Amino acid sequence: MSIEMLKNTVSDDDLDQVKTSLRLEPDMESDDILLRMLIKAARRDIIGQVGERIDDFFDKNEVFSAAVILEVAHLYNHRSATSEQQTFEVPMALYSLINSMKDDYRYQIAKKDGWLDDYTSGIADAESSNETAADSDWDSNLTQEDDHNG
């Protein structure tokens, strides 16, 4: 599913999954409009934090699905504009999920753009030049020892 579709549409399966996680009855439809809005808002928020360059990155991404459910649950359970109760921050687990997606996303971008190949070949070049330098140092040390002993 494209990023634009994720931001603008919610399938019945996605809605049912969120309702199940909130322990709402599937046939209870009074909050469906609100839940669809919250799902789209959560998706937009998470996608905005992770990135939009890889269109299929969020497809079948269980971490993304879990993050959306977690954020929707938080928004749904704390939806009142005013409250005399203690306010709660977004669960820390959400940030952990988003950060893990960011890492994976950056890796895929680096791989797609060829940065990863440049980086790994640079490491290989550096290692081979270090090995050559070490071999050269070893050889010169042996020659010096032979000269000194000989």
Side-chain angles (χ1 to χ4, degrees), residues 10-73:
V10 176
S11 72
D12 291 339
D13 289 340
D14 292 337
L15 180 63
D16 289 342
Q17 187 177 30
V18 167
K19 287 171 92 170
T20 299
S21 74
L22 291 169
R23 294 186 174 95
L24 300 174
E25 294 296 322
D27 57 346
M28 187 179 118
E29 297 178 359
S30 60
D31 284 345
D32 284 4
I33 293 172
L34 173 63
L35 288 171
R36 287 180 189 275
M37 288 188 320
L38 294 177
I39 291 168
K40 289 187 275 189
R43 286 176 177 174
R44 287 171 188 247
D45 177 44
I46 295 165
I47 290 168
Q49 290 185 58
V50 174
E52 298 185 34
R53 287 183 52 196
I54 304 173
D55 203 42
D56 62 348
F57 178 79
F58 302 98
D59 293 351
K60 297 179 182 163
N61 186 325
E62 290 180 351
V63 176
F64 176 68
S65 297
V68 169
I69 289 171
L70 191 58
E71 187 166 343
V72 168

Side-chain angles (χ1 to χ4, degrees), residues 22 38 67-80 87-91 94-95:
L22 291 169
L38 294 177
V68 169
I69 289 171
L70 191 58
E71 187 166 343
V72 168
H74 176 76
L75 294 171
Y76 183 80
N77 291 324
H78 302 95
R79 64 188 175 277
S80 178
T87 58
F88 296 94
E89 294 284 327
V90 174
L94 178 62
Y95 298 121

